[in-house]
Amino acid sequence: MSGILNIYKEDVPTPAEQDAIRSIAKPFHAKSDDELRGLAGEFLRNTELDESLLAIFEKGAMLAQQPTRYEQRGDGLDLTETEVRTLRDEKENKWNISGTLLSLVIVCSMSAAVQGMDETAVNGAQLFYSKHFGIEDDEHLLGLLNAAPYLSCAVLGCWLTKPMNKYFGRRGTIFIACIISSLSCLWQGFTHTWQHMFFARLVLGLGIGPKSATVPIYAAESSPASIRGALTMMWQMWVAFGVMVGYLAGVAFHDIHSEKFPGLNWRLMIASPMVPPLIVCVHIFFCPESPRWLISHKRFKSAFEALESLRGTKLQAARDLLHIHFSLEAEKIVRRRLGVIQRRKELLTVPRNWRALRASTIVMAMQQLGGVNVIVYYSCNIIVEAGASTKKALLLSMGFGIINFLFALPAVWTIDTFGRRNLLLITFPMMALFMLLTGMAFYIPDVDSKTAVVSLGIFLFGMAYSPGEGPVPFVYSAECYPLHLRDIGMSWSTSVTWFFNFLVSMTLPLCLKHMGEQGTFAYYAGWNAIGFFLIFMYVPETKGKTLEGLDKVFRRRSSGENWKSLKALFLRGQVRSDIVVDEVEPEQTKNPYLM
């Protein structure tokens, strides 16, 4: 396994390129106060910003170099008491955010909920449209229709993210993606053949892909560093909320019928997600564009105004504007020197980057192979197979949706206190156990008892999944790559999760037919056991790490020590006391970039 998963060679940037890479994170490192003032003045002279802001930008440059410098008095920073209090509140009262930032958070949360509804509206609808189209006994077509959006996401949707963001900005991309989602959901409600439904769902994927990649970026680029991780993590939490609302729509429309409009109930179910994205489209024009995107397009005045509305004061806006601008300038140097091909190559050839790629790929793939979307997309079918009515199946699926959302809420706190790796190591064994329980419940002869235990297994699985493997993968992938490779790395990671999403949703009907419910759930229980092993071996902890700390984490060659610790865990029932997992420092080499 280790040989297969370690394919890199030591091919690294030159020392000058390494310096440029490091300067992305710390653009003002080792500069004197006079140099910082000079940079601030030169920046104002070369932009459309008013030079009357010079004093504010000089202070901002010093704070960009050392964010906690406001605590040091008499060192030339010359802050007022109001400015010191504002900067201190930013750290101590981090959730005391501006109205503009709150509006942006609402937009991002609603966008995530749209995705959740897009994913689960099909769950109840397929019970009815499969009969309407005459394909209820064709597992291949059922799987294909369910999986169509995720195929579209993996092959095309995710890769449209970069050009759409370049030309339309973050707000424009979200607006276009939501329009596509809304129209395709409406389109699905008017289909009359499975081929027509298939093309409508393919188009839906073109809305899901760019939106799923852009919204977390928009939230991360617009939020203060103190709450950036929590806001990025909220994406998955509000997706869970949308999943719950999708199930609620299934229950609400189940009994609606009309002789004039055959299949009105399933048409309303599958078209219901068209409304929330329209609300997002209206709301997003009341939010500012991403300051980072504006700065990258030399729109400094607009960026300063956006940052001032998001942060609350001119000083905070000047600090963040300077940091973003000079980080982008360093990033441009790296891009020119390395080029796109070389940067892609670095993901496989530089040990630090390869370990991050490997860890991100594992958590993203296991999010799907763990089997959550077996339940999200097919819970109604599964519960009906256990002997329940369609109405009861929809109600029980709604119960899973509620649990999935409620148990995602604690992750806002636990992901930064308990840690990403620890959450995964605890939840995967429980997910395996509850998958197995769900499958074995199909051996129960009594229909009511069988339905009860199957539902219990599904509910318990949701409780285990939601605070762990639910929110962790996107947060982990967003932070593990070095800054100059983050766009390429995230495109790959997002496409991985959508590809395996497609694979699971496409093959589940076939698995149920050929392996039965017991074999299918045992199969996914096995994947959860494999996930525990891979995470123990190859996914280090990233909680509370700075960018430099993350570099240190992924330079470690810790898999050998993890293997010894894993053997001790199973052979002697405890982790070896002389091994601190993922804390083993490598031997020093001539080039620290290779560590």
Side-chain angles (χ1 to χ4, degrees), residues 192-214:
H192 290 282
T193 65
W194 72 262
Q195 294 94 335
H196 196 186
M197 176 69 82
F198 175 70
F199 282 112
R201 290 183 61 74
L202 280 179
V203 173
L204 176 62
L206 300 181
I208 293 176
K211 181 168 77 271
S212 67
T214 301

Side-chain angles (χ1 to χ4, degrees), residues 153 164 212 338 358 451:
C153 278
M164 286 179 68
S212 67
L338 297 182
R358 179 178 63 187
T451 302

Side-chain angles (χ1 to χ4, degrees), residues 107-325:
V107 162
C108 293
S109 301
M110 289 187 64
S111 299
V114 167
Q115 177 168 313
M117 288 189 70
D118 287 339
E119 292 181 7
T120 52
V122 73
N123 192 314
Q126 66 187 323
L127 293 174
F128 302 97
Y129 73 59
S130 59
K131 296 176 182 178
H132 184 91
F133 298 151
I135 59 172
E136 65 268 30
D137 296 322
D138 192 327
E139 293 79 11
H140 294 86
L141 289 182
L142 283 173
L144 184 64
L145 286 182
N146 215 329
Y150 318 116
L151 172 64
S152 180
C153 278
V155 174
L156 183 58
C158 289
W159 303 101
L160 286 175
T161 303
K162 188 171 182 179
M164 286 179 68
N165 275 269
K166 179 179 179 180
Y167 293 108
F168 303 115
R170 311 298 188 227
R171 291 194 314 167
T173 299
I174 294 170
F175 177 85
I176 294 170
C178 284
I179 289 292
I180 293 172
S181 292
S182 183
L183 293 178
S184 57
C185 286
L186 180 63
W187 182 5
Q188 290 178 94
F190 285 93
T191 55
H192 290 282
T193 65
W194 72 262
Q195 294 94 335
H196 196 186
M197 176 69 82
F198 175 70
F199 282 112
R201 290 183 61 74
L202 280 179
V203 173
L204 176 62
L206 300 181
I208 293 176
K211 181 168 77 271
S212 67
T214 301
V215 173
I217 294 173
Y218 182 50
E221 291 181 347
S222 302
S223 58
S226 57
I227 58 172
R228 186 171 298 137
L231 291 185
T232 305
M233 196 284 306
M234 283 184 182
W235 164 260
Q236 186 63 35
M237 185 181 75
W238 289 104
V239 168
F241 177 79
V243 166
M244 179 184 70
V245 175
Y247 286 130
L248 287 170
V251 173
F253 296 125
H254 177 270
D255 295 324
I256 296 179
H257 302 282
S258 171
E259 293 182 2
K260 293 182 178 180
F261 301 100
L264 182 61
N265 58 346
W266 71 259
R267 296 182 188 279
L268 290 172
M269 289 179 194
I270 206 161
S272 60
M274 70 167 288
V275 178
L278 295 178
I279 299 173
V280 174
C281 287
V282 173
H283 193 167
I284 200 163
F285 284 103
F286 294 95
C287 298
E289 180 55 88
S290 158
R292 182 180 173 89
W293 186 87
L294 291 169
I295 293 168
S296 69
H297 287 72
K298 306 298 182 183
R299 294 169 56 182
F300 297 104
K301 185 176 181 180
S302 296
F304 183 71
E305 291 170 352
L307 280 168
E308 185 179 0
S309 67
L310 290 166
R311 301 295 184 267
T313 68
K314 285 183 169 58
L315 177 60
Q316 292 166 299
R319 176 199 62 191
D320 292 353
L321 178 59
L322 288 170
H323 193 281
I324 295 169
H325 170 66

Side-chain angles (χ1 to χ4, degrees), residues 454-510:
V454 167
S455 302
L456 176 64
I458 289 173
F459 292 167
L460 291 172
F461 179 87
M463 293 178 186
Y465 168 85
S466 295
E469 183 61 356
V472 167
F474 273 92
V475 174
Y476 195 96
S477 299
E479 67 188 3
C480 69
Y481 296 107
L483 287 175
H484 71 294
L485 299 176
R486 191 159 292 176
D487 56 342
I488 295 174
M490 273 304 291
S491 293
W492 163 258
S493 297
T494 307
S495 66
V496 165
T497 196
W498 287 121
F499 170 76
F500 281 102
N501 191 323
F502 161 74
L503 198 64
V504 168
S505 54
M506 174 71 189
T507 58
L508 195 277
L510 292 171

Side-chain angles (χ1 to χ4, degrees), residues 127 378-390 392-394 396-397 437-458 508 512 516-518 521:
L127 293 174
Y378 292 100
S379 61
C380 285
N381 301 63
I382 292 165
I383 295 171
V384 166
E385 285 298 316
S389 65
T390 56
K392 188 174 183 179
L394 283 164
L396 290 171
S397 295
L437 171 65
T438 305
M440 295 305 102
F442 280 90
Y443 284 117
I444 299 173
D446 180 69
V447 171
D448 290 338
S449 300
K450 183 194 300 183
T451 302
V453 179
V454 167
S455 302
L456 176 64
I458 289 173
L508 195 277
L512 291 172
E517 288 81 5
Q518 298 91 336
F521 281 96

Side-chain angles (χ1 to χ4, degrees), residues 91-105:
K91 181 179 179 180
E92 297 176 356
N93 301 308
K94 57 186 180 181
W95 288 106
N96 183 23
I97 60 178
S98 67
T100 303
L101 182 56
L102 178 61
S103 180
L104 186 144
V105 170

Side-chain angles (χ1 to χ4, degrees), residues 524-544:
Y524 284 105
W527 272 113
N528 282 300
I530 293 171
F532 173 85
F533 168 78
L534 292 175
I535 288 161
F536 193 98
M537 291 292 296
Y538 301 111
V539 178
E541 182 59 74
T542 59
K543 177 194 73 172

